[in-house]
Amino acid sequence: MKTGSYLGAVVIGGLLLSAGQQAAAQGGDSMDRMGANDLGGVVGSANGPEAGVWVIAETGDLPTKFTKIVVTDERGRYLIPELPKANYSVWVRGYGLVDSPKVRAAPGKVLDLTAVLAPSAAAAAEYYPPIYWYSMLKVPAKSDFPAGPVKTQPEWVNQIKTSGCMSCHALGTKGTRTMPKDFAQFKSSAEAWGRRIASGQAMTQMTTALGRLDPQRALALWGDWTDRIAAGELPFDKPSRPQGVERNIVLSLWEWSTPTGYMHDLISTDRRKPTVNAKGKLYGATEESTDYFPVLDPNTHTAGQIKHPVRDPKTPSSKTAPMAPSPYWGPEPIWDSQTSIHNQMMDEKGRVWATARVRPPANPDYCRKGGDHPSAKVFPLESANRHLSMYDPASGKFTLISTCFPTHHLIFAEDANGTLWASNGVTGPGAFGWLNRKMFEETGDEVRSQGWTPFILDTNGNGRRDEWVEPNQPVDPTKDKRVQVSLYSINVNPIDGSVWGTSMGFPGHVVRVAPGPDPTHTAITEIYEPPFPGYGPRGGDIGRDGVFWASLASGHLGKFDRSKCKGPLNGPNATGKHCPEGWTLYRFPGPQFRDVQDDGSVEASYYTWVDWFDAFGLGKNVPIASGNMSDAYFALVDGKWVTLRVPYPMGFYAKWSEGRIDDPNGGWKGRSLWATYSTRTVFHNEGGKENRPRVVKFQLRPDPLAR
């Protein structure tokens, strides 16, 4: 038997080598193009050359762990360009396969690889993105509603996706579709799920999200889901391999931060001018995990950390958050952040601005009712849980800015004041604010340099802001109306300076604010509700053409073009439902829940970013949405999806995107898209507790063998 197996392996190996040599002999092969720092060859299996599979090269020889990944072409050929000098472990991963044995290799070599066909459907499914597993979750039928506080099935789906569970991590990863052994003592999986979501310092957020559903029914459904998977049930759909331009993607990954840290975002350049900080360092936003935010130098493959300070030692810390013991980390807290650095932006000087907590939440008197700040006289604010900061890499110094308004995401305008606008989050006080950066840098006066405004609809239709009625009062045709929305994402239309964003909820809204000459007193708001089957906006962005794009919990990318609105944009009827004709919905890739018949996908996209300047290479104003259930980004090019998949380590979950142009004349090598793994539960990813967040650099070459 051993002899027969050995001879069979030799014969198959000989056939693969022959197939590789035959492919290499044809024109334009990877070996002809290889340089001293490249690695290339042919991937084959018992089925012949393997097209559309990934070749992964990873090394621990550099200051931080480094990985480079490419896709094979239609003949199974691959070429990994410009590998740093080191020894690498190289293997093949692909749908329909299991990982091949790791081979040690160095750049400059021809390395043919043998792919391993999956021995069973179950083995193949272990490599599927989370969406294929989460689509197996049962969803209550439409006839079952209302269910607890939830009135409809779409509202339920919204809550188990981007407005609830998937706002911090993906469900369907290996770490979530299986139950930790620590919980084996519970009488049922539903009971185990109830204990599971109380684990760790996110307990309050997790249990609050559960409370928005019918809790016992939701726990029973999640318990049933993990029980069926444990019994051997497999996804009813499966992913396809990269096709076309998707095979031209080159991925470079670096580890940064720590196993207990997690990122919300990263920043590498000025959104308005993506050549700023060319080839420079990247900075991460660590939110509730730690005050030490990571810095990556991709040139030296070095990752470090910088501690973000606070003004007041009494600033709250995530370390005191209530928790039950974690099956991964035990009873001790692993997060200890006072600053809660959420989102960063870089200015034209390469300085890093952040929404960060710098003091306790209670506001100074000038912000509050009776305060003398001009904005407080219009709309007083009692507290702010997050503020602003600026880090200057040149000096290594921080500037901490106390704001009366809460901050969440931030964006620079292209105006004379360099205005920094800030959203206020998932929920908020009904107002949002800004910093006049020019004034602040000239005077250092943080009080005079900031302002905020409530959201006021021009419901009397006279084109200006007047006295208003409150959100709980009916529309008065002689007055305007204040609405209780909350900007989650925030963007500035470069055409007219209007401020745009999303307001989460069901069905949620896209919000436009025209600031006017004195935003505190003149800002006028418009709100637009996505038409069904679209609902649940989260992150959104605007193109330089004025078109707004939003990630929707319904499993769509929503496009809103205000110029297509046929009716009045203000007046008594302009309260959200007045422009369905401005919307176009694009269904995200991936399956829908079997119990949901409405159009859509299980995909729970967190954020959409628009590539203003073709920093990646798919074109200007291309929207790129995070595929948080799919280990991917999704780019919409001429109405068709291009999937930018990260196959390793499994669990890629991005929030913000970042395009940088290192060399405008450098072709594909001078352009890139940057991301970081942004899941809160890094330990749910492939690699477990030893895993760290990673930076991912996406590049798009002209063909799969370009170097």
Side-chain angles (χ1 to χ4, degrees):
M1 290 295 293
K2 290 183 179 179
T3 303
S5 299
Y6 173 76
L7 289 174
V10 170
V11 171
I12 292 172
L15 289 173
L16 292 178
L17 183 59
S18 176
Q21 290 173 332
Q22 191 174 31
Q26 300 180 28
D29 63 85
S30 58
M31 283 66 99
D32 285 347
R33 302 190 187 190
M34 273 184 53
N37 297 320
D38 306 332
L39 190 66
V42 177
V43 176
S45 71
N47 291 339
E50 289 285 351
V53 299
W54 293 282
V55 178
I56 304 169
E58 184 169 73
T59 183
D61 292 350
L62 302 173
T64 192
K65 184 179 286 186
F66 174 76
T67 311
K68 206 155 191 177
I69 305 172
V70 298
V71 189
T72 58
D73 71 0
E74 74 282 358
R75 297 176 186 171
R77 299 172 298 179
Y78 75 95
L79 188 145
I80 307 178
E82 295 188 331
L83 283 167
K85 186 177 180 181
N87 292 310
Y88 290 85
S89 293
V90 185
W91 72 99
V92 179
R93 173 171 290 186
Y95 300 134
L97 307 175
V98 295
D99 280 1
S100 66
K102 294 180 179 180
V103 179
R104 297 290 288 174
K109 305 293 185 182
V110 174
L111 181 66
D112 292 341
L113 297 166
T114 302
V116 181
L117 300 177
S120 65
E126 288 296 313
Y127 297 89
Y128 291 178
I131 188 172
Y132 295 93
W133 292 95
Y134 197 48
S135 63
M136 298 165 61
L137 179 76
K138 293 180 180 178
V139 175
K142 287 189 175 183
S143 59
D144 290 340
F145 291 91
V150 185
K151 297 178 181 178
T152 66
Q153 187 190 66
E155 186 178 352
W156 180 281
V157 172
N158 183 61
Q159 284 297 334
I160 64 169
K161 292 175 69 180
T162 46
S163 286
C165 309
M166 256 80 77
S167 60
C168 296
H169 53 80
L171 288 176
T173 57
K174 184 76 170 182
T176 57
R177 67 178 184 260
T178 57
M179 189 61 67
K181 293 179 181 178
D182 299 49
F183 299 155
Q185 75 274 17
F186 289 100
K187 296 178 181 178
S188 68
S189 291
E191 188 178 339
W193 267 96
R195 168 62 181 81
R196 180 183 210 172
I197 66 169
S199 302
Q201 292 156 275
M203 179 180 77
T204 300
Q205 291 168 284
M206 299 284 284
T207 55
T208 299
L210 176 67
R212 300 190 192 110
L213 299 165
D214 178 344
Q216 294 309 311
R217 175 173 292 191
L219 291 173
L221 290 171
W222 278 316
D224 168 74
W225 175 58
T226 49
D227 283 346
R228 286 185 285 118
I229 290 172
E233 186 174 333
L234 298 176
F236 58 82
D237 197 3
K238 59 184 179 181
S240 58
R241 292 180 177 182
Q243 301 289 330
V245 71
E246 297 169 353
R247 295 180 178 175
N248 300 349
I249 297 168
V250 179
L251 303 173
S252 301
L253 295 85
W254 296 262
E255 280 193 345
W256 66 347
S257 191
T258 67
T260 57
Y262 71 85
M263 298 305 108
H264 191 280
D265 293 312
L266 59 64
I267 198 71
S268 72
T269 191
D270 185 342
R271 172 64 187 292
R272 302 160 300 174
K273 188 179 180 182
T275 53
V276 169
N277 193 43
K279 301 181 181 179
K281 296 178 180 179
L282 294 93
Y283 304 84
T286 46
E287 205 183 17
E288 293 289 278
S289 63
T290 176
D291 294 325
Y292 289 88
F293 65 87
V295 181
L296 174 72
D297 186 340
N299 305 294
T300 61
H301 312 285
T302 303
Q305 297 187 105
I306 298 173
K307 186 175 183 180
H308 190 300
V310 294
R311 280 188 175 183
D312 188 335
K314 295 180 181 179
T315 301
S317 170
S318 59
K319 189 172 184 177
T320 62
M323 61 173 286
S326 163
Y328 292 88
W329 303 102
E332 297 301 319
I334 61 171
W335 298 339
D336 59 356
S337 173
Q338 289 183 291
T339 52
S340 189
I341 311 162
H342 183 266
N343 183 227
Q344 296 158 318
M345 284 290 151
M346 188 173 283
D347 67 17
E348 68 282 354
K349 297 180 180 179
R351 299 175 300 183
V352 180
W353 296 73
T355 53
R357 195 160 50 209
V358 305
R359 59 166 172 83
N363 274 341
D365 289 343
Y366 65 80
C367 310
R368 305 168 72 174
K369 188 174 182 178
D372 58 3
H373 193 284
S375 295
K377 294 178 181 179
V378 173
F379 197 79
L381 296 176
E382 298 301 309
S383 65
N385 288 325
R386 196 181 271 122
H387 318 98
L388 292 172
S389 74
M390 186 270 283
Y391 171 70
D392 185 355
S395 66
K397 295 181 179 179
F398 283 88
T399 301
L400 306 182
I401 305 165
S402 172
T403 60
C404 300
F405 52 89
T407 67
H408 200 67
H409 291 101
L410 70 169
I411 200 79
F412 287 110
E414 298 177 72
D415 61 15
N417 292 325
T419 305
L420 182 61
W421 296 93
S423 71
N424 53 301
V426 178
T427 60
F432 78 111
W434 62 90
L435 180 76
N436 182 325
R437 190 162 56 96
K438 183 174 184 289
M439 179 185 294
F440 177 72
E441 295 195 46
E442 289 177 350
T443 67
D445 190 332
E446 68 181 17
V447 177
R448 287 181 52 222
S449 301
Q450 67 175 286
W452 62 94
T453 184
F455 298 98
I456 310 295
L457 303 182
D458 179 22
T459 46
N460 66 15
N462 66 0
R464 65 176 185 270
R465 203 169 94 182
D466 304 300
E467 183 182 355
W468 64 78
V469 297
E470 291 298 327
N472 60 351
Q473 297 175 320
V475 172
D476 182 334
T478 67
K479 298 180 180 179
D480 291 337
K481 182 175 177 62
R482 185 172 77 83
V483 286
Q484 188 64 37
V485 295
S486 180
L487 278 184
Y488 176 75
S489 65
I490 191 163
N491 324 96
V492 178
N493 186 342
I495 297 174
D496 61 9
S498 56
V499 180
W500 290 68
T502 51
S503 182
M504 291 179 59
F506 184 84
H509 297 89
V510 164
V511 180
R512 177 186 185 270
V513 181
D518 176 14
T520 294
H521 302 93
T522 60
I524 295 176
T525 298
E526 300 166 9
I527 57 174
Y528 299 94
E529 181 180 311
F532 195 80
Y535 55 82
R538 194 174 182 99
D541 196 9
I542 197 164
R544 295 192 74 81
D545 55 1
V547 174
F548 190 83
W549 300 85
S551 294
L552 303 180
S554 55
H556 299 89
L557 177 62
K559 174 185 178 182
F560 181 70
D561 188 344
R562 182 173 175 266
S563 68
K564 293 185 176 180
C565 297
K566 297 178 180 178
L569 300 179
N570 50 39
N573 297 318
T575 55
K577 297 180 181 292
H578 55 296
C579 184
E581 65 273 13
W583 287 88
T584 305
L585 303 180
Y586 298 89
R587 183 186 182 279
F588 280 122
Q592 176 64 289
F593 293 111
R594 270 188 165 169
D595 301 321
V596 176
Q597 301 304 311
D598 297 324
D599 181 66
S601 164
V602 176
E603 182 53 62
S605 178
Y606 190 98
Y607 219 98
T608 294
W609 173 83
V610 179
D611 190 350
W612 283 0
F613 301 107
D614 192 22
F616 180 53
L618 288 173
K620 293 182 178 180
N621 286 320
V622 168
I624 300 177
S626 57
N628 296 81
M629 297 296 293
S630 304
D631 293 341
Y633 280 122
F634 296 121
L636 189 68
V637 183
D638 298 327
K640 296 182 180 180
W641 291 112
V642 174
T643 299
L644 315 178
R645 189 93 68 190
V646 181
Y648 169 83
M650 288 182 284
F652 174 67
Y653 181 102
K655 292 182 178 177
W656 176 253
S657 307
E658 176 76 347
R660 188 169 78 183
I661 301 176
D662 290 328
D663 182 357
N665 302 313
W668 70 271
K669 292 184 181 180
R671 297 171 182 267
S672 53
L673 179 72
W674 294 86
T676 183
Y677 280 63
S678 296
T679 175
R680 284 193 173 197
T681 52
V682 182
F683 42 89
H684 284 168
N685 290 355
E686 181 179 4
K689 284 180 61 176
E690 300 304 314
N691 203 26
R692 296 169 184 255
R694 301 200 186 200
V695 172
V696 185
K697 180 182 183 181
F698 297 75
Q699 293 176 290
L700 186 68
R701 51 185 173 179
D703 66 74
L705 303 180
R707 61 175 298 269

